[in-house]
Amino acid sequence: MLSQIGVTQVTIPLPFRLNHVNCFLAEGARGWTIIDAGLNTEVSENIWKPIIEKHDVKDIIITHYHPDHFGFAGKLQELTNADVWMTEVDAQAGLSYWEPESMECVKKNFYTYGLPQDNLSELIVDEERFLNRVQPYPMVNQYLTEGMKLLFGKHEYEVIFTPGHSDGLITLYNNENSILFSTDHILPRISPNISYFFRGIRNPLESFFQSLNKIKCLDADVVIPSHGKPFRNANKRIEELLAHHQERLEIVYQSIKQPSSIIEVSRQLFKNLTIHETRFAIGETLAHLEYLFLNQQCTRRFVNGTWFYEAV
């Protein structure tokens, strides 16, 4: 199906349980265009080098700042001299998140989650490991804006802001053929991670719900995700995702009938996680807690350096 729309999928392996990211290559308005880049690893470089040797890449579109999409963008730009395009909010996040001042803020927040000291140390080390997987940083030449039109392969796509998974995540939609590049906003088999770490959009889960309903209005037929295989009927999957998070909110609400720390609630939702996965689990748990807090369904208190949430 991708070949019919003039697009080549470039799948980059990842060293996690979510073991790949789908990047894409197609002719654009000025030459060849790449969507997303993978982590900055030798594996990514070995995959991209023979591709860019055969294609004059002029533009690199990064859908959001998370390392599996953004990490190799700087190196890819060095190899191609292409322009890098991102939303302004995610460009700022990607170019600042792993810097020392930002990482100190991240670490301070980690201490408030109620983690045991051993887990806390492991979590900080895991976070710091990503620095080498996102540098060198790209020079972001152009900002993606809502409603912008991009030629990619045989069709033109509209840029649609869909915050939730990240504050500046975009999707791309072709109305004539009802094709949605859903990036990490809508995935076929798993729910995109919706995290909050006391920074960025205050209520990312609410933003995610709003973005899902925004895409629901399109009634997209063909969905091309950044993880997993293309599928049909975006609205069916959107309904499943909305229901999933409502179920999660109910579990979270029931788990805070007594004052509970973030890690205590997280352990009600997630089991048998690696330390890397624990970071995502905590962020998602906090996003659900903050959703309840901002909707006045629970209170929160800061006690001896740890946040505690309690249902009302």
Side-chain angles (χ1 to χ4, degrees):
M1 192 277 293
L2 286 169
S3 62
Q4 295 173 5
I5 61 174
V7 175
T8 298
Q9 180 173 299
V10 180
T11 298
I12 308 291
L14 299 174
F16 316 122
R17 189 176 299 184
L18 184 61
N19 61 11
H20 71 280
V21 59
N22 299 326
C23 306
F24 302 95
L25 172 75
E27 288 192 83
R30 306 190 307 147
W32 289 88
T33 296
I34 287 171
I35 295 179
D36 287 332
L39 286 173
N40 183 15
T41 63
E42 186 176 349
V43 170
S44 297
E45 186 165 2
N46 289 340
I47 290 172
W48 280 119
K49 271 195 169 180
I51 293 171
I52 62 178
E53 286 171 0
K54 298 176 182 177
H55 301 85
D56 185 15
V57 176
K58 295 295 186 182
D59 297 293
I60 301 167
I61 296 168
I62 303 299
T63 61
H64 60 296
Y65 82 96
H66 293 164
D68 54 328
H69 298 255
F70 170 83
F72 195 65
K75 184 66 175 179
L76 197 55
Q77 185 178 43
E78 287 182 358
L79 294 170
T80 61
N81 200 33
D83 284 352
V84 171
W85 300 66
M86 294 182 72
T87 58
E88 185 172 6
V89 63
D90 266 26
Q92 291 174 351
L95 298 174
S96 65
Y97 184 90
W98 291 274
E99 291 302 294
E101 182 178 348
S102 175
M103 287 306 301
E104 281 304 312
C105 178
V106 170
K107 291 175 191 177
K108 287 178 182 177
N109 286 333
F110 282 168
Y111 284 96
T112 72
Y113 301 155
L115 282 145
Q117 185 61 44
D118 288 349
N119 292 153
L120 184 61
S121 299
E122 289 180 306
L123 200 63
I124 290 170
V125 169
D126 183 72
E127 189 83 12
E128 290 175 335
R129 284 192 182 125
F130 275 92
L131 182 60
N132 292 332
R133 292 172 170 176
V134 298
Q135 290 185 339
Y137 295 133
M139 177 183 293
V140 180
N141 311 91
Q142 305 282 347
Y143 289 137
L144 296 167
T145 57
E146 176 87 13
M148 177 182 285
K149 301 294 178 64
L150 301 172
L151 180 65
F152 192 65
K154 296 181 179 179
H155 304 303
E156 186 177 67
Y157 295 83
E158 180 181 352
V159 174
I160 302 175
F161 279 20
T162 48
H165 179 66
S166 83
D167 290 0
L169 178 71
I170 63 146
T171 54
L172 298 168
Y173 182 63
N174 173 263
N175 183 60
E176 290 75 16
N177 298 279
S178 196
I179 300 169
L180 176 73
F181 279 86
S182 66
T183 64
D184 275 11
H185 180 52
I186 304 170
L187 302 177
R189 297 184 64 85
I190 62 172
S191 171
N193 180 255
I194 310 300
S195 282
Y196 183 60
F197 294 103
F198 293 114
R199 58 195 298 167
I201 290 177
R202 180 67 190 280
N203 194 347
L205 186 56
E206 176 64 29
S207 294
F208 181 57
F209 290 161
Q210 292 174 356
S211 295
L212 286 175
N213 285 313
K214 183 179 184 180
I215 296 300
K216 189 177 180 182
C217 293
L218 304 176
D219 195 20
D221 177 25
V222 178
V223 185
I224 303 168
S226 291
H227 304 278
K229 297 179 180 179
F231 61 99
R232 310 296 288 265
N233 194 344
N235 283 8
K236 179 177 182 292
R237 185 60 182 142
I238 288 170
E239 289 295 339
E240 292 170 352
L241 290 169
L242 290 168
H244 166 78
H245 284 283
Q246 290 302 323
E247 291 172 3
R248 289 285 181 166
L249 285 167
E250 180 59 27
I251 294 171
V252 170
Y253 184 79
Q254 294 300 325
S255 72
I256 55 173
K257 291 293 187 177
Q258 300 294 326
S260 301
S261 70
I262 297 163
I263 189 61
E264 288 171 339
V265 179
S266 181
R267 286 170 177 164
Q268 298 297 313
L269 292 172
F270 302 97
K271 310 292 182 184
N272 303 318
L273 302 180
T274 66
I275 195 65
H276 175 71
E277 292 162 345
T278 296
R279 180 165 58 88
F280 290 102
I282 288 171
E284 181 135 339
T285 300
L286 183 52
H288 285 72
L289 287 166
E290 284 293 297
Y291 179 91
L292 294 174
F293 174 71
L294 292 169
N295 283 280
Q296 300 181 337
Q297 294 176 265
C298 73
T299 60
R300 69 176 189 183
R301 292 181 296 126
F302 197 59
V303 181
N304 296 327
T306 300
W307 285 109
F308 288 87
Y309 290 76
E310 185 176 10
V312 295

PDB file of all heavy atoms in Angstrom, residues 185-202:
ATOM      1  N   HIS A 185       0.571   9.147  17.657  1.00  0.00           N
ATOM      2  CA  HIS A 185      -0.705   9.561  18.235  1.00  0.00           C
ATOM      3  C   HIS A 185      -1.701   8.409  18.320  1.00  0.00           C
ATOM      4  O   HIS A 185      -2.401   8.235  19.323  1.00  0.00           O
ATOM      5  CB  HIS A 185      -1.290  10.707  17.409  1.00  0.00           C
ATOM      6  CG  HIS A 185      -2.605  11.214  17.915  1.00  0.00           C
ATOM      7  ND1 HIS A 185      -2.796  11.590  19.229  1.00  0.00           N
ATOM      8  CD2 HIS A 185      -3.798  11.407  17.291  1.00  0.00           C
ATOM      9  CE1 HIS A 185      -4.045  11.997  19.386  1.00  0.00           C
ATOM     10  NE2 HIS A 185      -4.669  11.890  18.233  1.00  0.00           N
ATOM     11  N   ILE A 186      -1.754   7.600  17.261  1.00  0.00           N
ATOM     12  CA  ILE A 186      -2.657   6.439  17.222  1.00  0.00           C
ATOM     13  C   ILE A 186      -1.844   5.240  16.744  1.00  0.00           C
ATOM     14  O   ILE A 186      -1.352   5.232  15.611  1.00  0.00           O
ATOM     15  CB  ILE A 186      -3.852   6.677  16.275  1.00  0.00           C
ATOM     16  CG1 ILE A 186      -4.624   7.932  16.668  1.00  0.00           C
ATOM     17  CG2 ILE A 186      -4.770   5.466  16.266  1.00  0.00           C
ATOM     18  CD1 ILE A 186      -5.661   8.352  15.650  1.00  0.00           C
ATOM     19  N   LEU A 187      -1.696   4.257  17.608  1.00  0.00           N
ATOM     20  CA  LEU A 187      -0.946   3.049  17.294  1.00  0.00           C
ATOM     21  C   LEU A 187      -1.898   1.851  17.269  1.00  0.00           C
ATOM     22  O   LEU A 187      -2.903   1.841  17.980  1.00  0.00           O
ATOM     23  CB  LEU A 187       0.162   2.821  18.328  1.00  0.00           C
ATOM     24  CG  LEU A 187       1.178   3.969  18.455  1.00  0.00           C
ATOM     25  CD1 LEU A 187       2.185   3.667  19.564  1.00  0.00           C
ATOM     26  CD2 LEU A 187       1.903   4.227  17.135  1.00  0.00           C
ATOM     27  N   PRO A 188      -1.581   0.831  16.470  1.00  0.00           N
ATOM     28  CA  PRO A 188      -2.560  -0.244  16.257  1.00  0.00           C
ATOM     29  C   PRO A 188      -2.710  -1.220  17.407  1.00  0.00           C
ATOM     30  O   PRO A 188      -3.794  -1.774  17.608  1.00  0.00           O
ATOM     31  CB  PRO A 188      -2.018  -0.966  15.018  1.00  0.00           C
ATOM     32  CG  PRO A 188      -0.557  -0.663  15.007  1.00  0.00           C
ATOM     33  CD  PRO A 188      -0.426   0.720  15.566  1.00  0.00           C
ATOM     34  N   ARG A 189      -1.648  -1.470  18.187  1.00  0.00           N
ATOM     35  CA  ARG A 189      -1.704  -2.555  19.173  1.00  0.00           C
ATOM     36  C   ARG A 189      -1.487  -2.081  20.615  1.00  0.00           C
ATOM     37  O   ARG A 189      -1.855  -2.779  21.551  1.00  0.00           O
ATOM     38  CB  ARG A 189      -0.662  -3.627  18.830  1.00  0.00           C
ATOM     39  CG  ARG A 189      -0.918  -4.295  17.479  1.00  0.00           C
ATOM     40  CD  ARG A 189       0.076  -5.403  17.230  1.00  0.00           C
ATOM     41  NE  ARG A 189      -0.050  -6.485  18.202  1.00  0.00           N
ATOM     42  CZ  ARG A 189      -0.900  -7.486  18.105  1.00  0.00           C
ATOM     43  NH1 ARG A 189      -1.731  -7.553  17.071  1.00  0.00           N
ATOM     44  NH2 ARG A 189      -0.949  -8.427  19.024  1.00  0.00           N
ATOM     45  N   ILE A 190      -0.862  -0.933  20.790  1.00  0.00           N
ATOM     46  CA  ILE A 190      -0.607  -0.416  22.133  1.00  0.00           C
ATOM     47  C   ILE A 190      -1.127   1.004  22.234  1.00  0.00           C
ATOM     48  O   ILE A 190      -1.332   1.676  21.217  1.00  0.00           O
ATOM     49  CB  ILE A 190       0.894  -0.444  22.494  1.00  0.00           C
ATOM     50  CG1 ILE A 190       1.697   0.450  21.529  1.00  0.00           C
ATOM     51  CG2 ILE A 190       1.425  -1.867  22.503  1.00  0.00           C
ATOM     52  CD1 ILE A 190       3.137   0.626  21.928  1.00  0.00           C
ATOM     53  N   SER A 191      -1.327   1.459  23.453  1.00  0.00           N
ATOM     54  CA  SER A 191      -1.694   2.850  23.667  1.00  0.00           C
ATOM     55  C   SER A 191      -0.421   3.694  23.690  1.00  0.00           C
ATOM     56  O   SER A 191       0.551   3.330  24.368  1.00  0.00           O
ATOM     57  CB  SER A 191      -2.435   3.004  24.999  1.00  0.00           C
ATOM     58  OG  SER A 191      -2.608   4.373  25.321  1.00  0.00           O
ATOM     59  N   PRO A 192      -0.369   4.798  22.971  1.00  0.00           N
ATOM     60  CA  PRO A 192       0.793   5.681  23.082  1.00  0.00           C
ATOM     61  C   PRO A 192       0.997   6.107  24.533  1.00  0.00           C
ATOM     62  O   PRO A 192       0.034   6.323  25.266  1.00  0.00           O
ATOM     63  CB  PRO A 192       0.412   6.883  22.205  1.00  0.00           C
ATOM     64  CG  PRO A 192      -0.658   6.379  21.299  1.00  0.00           C
ATOM     65  CD  PRO A 192      -1.391   5.324  22.062  1.00  0.00           C
ATOM     66  N   ASN A 193       2.251   6.207  24.934  1.00  0.00           N
ATOM     67  CA  ASN A 193       2.543   6.653  26.286  1.00  0.00           C
ATOM     68  C   ASN A 193       2.168   8.120  26.444  1.00  0.00           C
ATOM     69  O   ASN A 193       2.607   8.972  25.674  1.00  0.00           O
ATOM     70  CB  ASN A 193       4.029   6.453  26.588  1.00  0.00           C
ATOM     71  CG  ASN A 193       4.405   6.897  27.981  1.00  0.00           C
ATOM     72  OD1 ASN A 193       5.012   7.941  28.162  1.00  0.00           O
ATOM     73  ND2 ASN A 193       4.031   6.117  28.978  1.00  0.00           N
ATOM     74  N   ILE A 194       1.327   8.400  27.427  1.00  0.00           N
ATOM     75  CA  ILE A 194       0.926   9.775  27.738  1.00  0.00           C
ATOM     76  C   ILE A 194       1.496  10.090  29.114  1.00  0.00           C
ATOM     77  O   ILE A 194       1.001   9.593  30.123  1.00  0.00           O
ATOM     78  CB  ILE A 194      -0.606   9.945  27.738  1.00  0.00           C
ATOM     79  CG1 ILE A 194      -1.213   9.366  26.454  1.00  0.00           C
ATOM     80  CG2 ILE A 194      -0.978  11.411  27.930  1.00  0.00           C
ATOM     81  CD1 ILE A 194      -0.721  10.006  25.173  1.00  0.00           C
ATOM     82  N   SER A 195       2.561  10.872  29.139  1.00  0.00           N
ATOM     83  CA  SER A 195       3.295  11.098  30.380  1.00  0.00           C
ATOM     84  C   SER A 195       3.297  12.555  30.797  1.00  0.00           C
ATOM     85  O   SER A 195       3.215  13.465  29.960  1.00  0.00           O
ATOM     86  CB  SER A 195       4.750  10.632  30.229  1.00  0.00           C
ATOM     87  OG  SER A 195       4.847   9.236  30.325  1.00  0.00           O
ATOM     88  N   TYR A 196       3.423  12.743  32.100  1.00  0.00           N
ATOM     89  CA  TYR A 196       3.636  14.072  32.674  1.00  0.00           C
ATOM     90  C   TYR A 196       4.760  13.948  33.699  1.00  0.00           C
ATOM     91  O   TYR A 196       4.814  12.962  34.441  1.00  0.00           O
ATOM     92  CB  TYR A 196       2.358  14.578  33.338  1.00  0.00           C
ATOM     93  CG  TYR A 196       2.476  15.981  33.906  1.00  0.00           C
ATOM     94  CD1 TYR A 196       2.781  17.060  33.078  1.00  0.00           C
ATOM     95  CD2 TYR A 196       2.285  16.222  35.263  1.00  0.00           C
ATOM     96  CE1 TYR A 196       2.885  18.348  33.587  1.00  0.00           C
ATOM     97  CE2 TYR A 196       2.386  17.503  35.780  1.00  0.00           C
ATOM     98  CZ  TYR A 196       2.687  18.562  34.935  1.00  0.00           C
ATOM     99  OH  TYR A 196       2.800  19.822  35.445  1.00  0.00           O
ATOM    100  N   PHE A 197       5.664  14.932  33.709  1.00  0.00           N
ATOM    101  CA  PHE A 197       6.772  14.940  34.650  1.00  0.00           C
ATOM    102  C   PHE A 197       6.922  16.315  35.300  1.00  0.00           C
ATOM    103  O   PHE A 197       8.026  16.814  35.475  1.00  0.00           O
ATOM    104  CB  PHE A 197       8.074  14.533  33.951  1.00  0.00           C
ATOM    105  CG  PHE A 197       8.086  13.105  33.460  1.00  0.00           C
ATOM    106  CD1 PHE A 197       7.893  12.821  32.113  1.00  0.00           C
ATOM    107  CD2 PHE A 197       8.283  12.055  34.339  1.00  0.00           C
ATOM    108  CE1 PHE A 197       7.901  11.500  31.652  1.00  0.00           C
ATOM    109  CE2 PHE A 197       8.295  10.736  33.892  1.00  0.00           C
ATOM    110  CZ  PHE A 197       8.105  10.461  32.548  1.00  0.00           C
ATOM    111  N   PHE A 198       5.772  16.934  35.619  1.00  0.00           N
ATOM    112  CA  PHE A 198       5.758  18.267  36.222  1.00  0.00           C
ATOM    113  C   PHE A 198       6.438  19.301  35.331  1.00  0.00           C
ATOM    114  O   PHE A 198       7.097  20.222  35.803  1.00  0.00           O
ATOM    115  CB  PHE A 198       6.404  18.244  37.618  1.00  0.00           C
ATOM    116  CG  PHE A 198       5.625  17.455  38.624  1.00  0.00           C
ATOM    117  CD1 PHE A 198       6.148  16.290  39.168  1.00  0.00           C
ATOM    118  CD2 PHE A 198       4.364  17.863  39.026  1.00  0.00           C
ATOM    119  CE1 PHE A 198       5.434  15.545  40.093  1.00  0.00           C
ATOM    120  CE2 PHE A 198       3.632  17.124  39.959  1.00  0.00           C
ATOM    121  CZ  PHE A 198       4.174  15.962  40.496  1.00  0.00           C
ATOM    122  N   ARG A 199       6.266  19.140  34.015  1.00  0.00           N
ATOM    123  CA  ARG A 199       6.787  20.122  33.055  1.00  0.00           C
ATOM    124  C   ARG A 199       5.997  19.971  31.764  1.00  0.00           C
ATOM    125  O   ARG A 199       5.446  18.927  31.468  1.00  0.00           O
ATOM    126  CB  ARG A 199       8.284  19.920  32.806  1.00  0.00           C
ATOM    127  CG  ARG A 199       8.636  18.542  32.304  1.00  0.00           C
ATOM    128  CD  ARG A 199      10.115  18.244  32.402  1.00  0.00           C
ATOM    129  NE  ARG A 199      10.884  19.168  31.593  1.00  0.00           N
ATOM    130  CZ  ARG A 199      12.211  19.288  31.694  1.00  0.00           C
ATOM    131  NH1 ARG A 199      12.874  18.569  32.562  1.00  0.00           N
ATOM    132  NH2 ARG A 199      12.862  20.127  30.923  1.00  0.00           N
ATOM    133  N   GLY A 200       5.931  21.053  30.984  1.00  0.00           N
ATOM    134  CA  GLY A 200       5.187  21.007  29.731  1.00  0.00           C
ATOM    135  C   GLY A 200       3.699  21.177  29.966  1.00  0.00           C
ATOM    136  O   GLY A 200       3.263  21.730  30.980  1.00  0.00           O
ATOM    137  N   ILE A 201       2.894  20.715  29.008  1.00  0.00           N
ATOM    138  CA  ILE A 201       1.437  20.822  29.107  1.00  0.00           C
ATOM    139  C   ILE A 201       0.975  20.224  30.431  1.00  0.00           C
ATOM    140  O   ILE A 201       1.328  19.098  30.770  1.00  0.00           O
ATOM    141  CB  ILE A 201       0.755  20.106  27.921  1.00  0.00           C
ATOM    142  CG1 ILE A 201       0.990  20.877  26.613  1.00  0.00           C
ATOM    143  CG2 ILE A 201      -0.747  19.960  28.168  1.00  0.00           C
ATOM    144  CD1 ILE A 201       0.415  20.197  25.389  1.00  0.00           C
ATOM    145  N   ARG A 202       0.183  21.001  31.170  1.00  0.00           N
ATOM    146  CA  ARG A 202      -0.185  20.607  32.536  1.00  0.00           C
ATOM    147  C   ARG A 202      -1.074  19.360  32.568  1.00  0.00           C
ATOM    148  O   ARG A 202      -1.022  18.579  33.533  1.00  0.00           O
ATOM    149  CB  ARG A 202      -0.911  21.779  33.208  1.00  0.00           C
ATOM    150  CG  ARG A 202      -1.356  21.529  34.643  1.00  0.00           C
ATOM    151  CD  ARG A 202      -0.184  21.393  35.591  1.00  0.00           C
ATOM    152  NE  ARG A 202      -0.614  20.937  36.898  1.00  0.00           N
ATOM    153  CZ  ARG A 202      -1.163  21.707  37.834  1.00  0.00           C
ATOM    154  NH1 ARG A 202      -1.362  23.002  37.603  1.00  0.00           N
ATOM    155  NH2 ARG A 202      -1.506  21.208  39.001  1.00  0.00           N
TER     156      ARG A 202
END
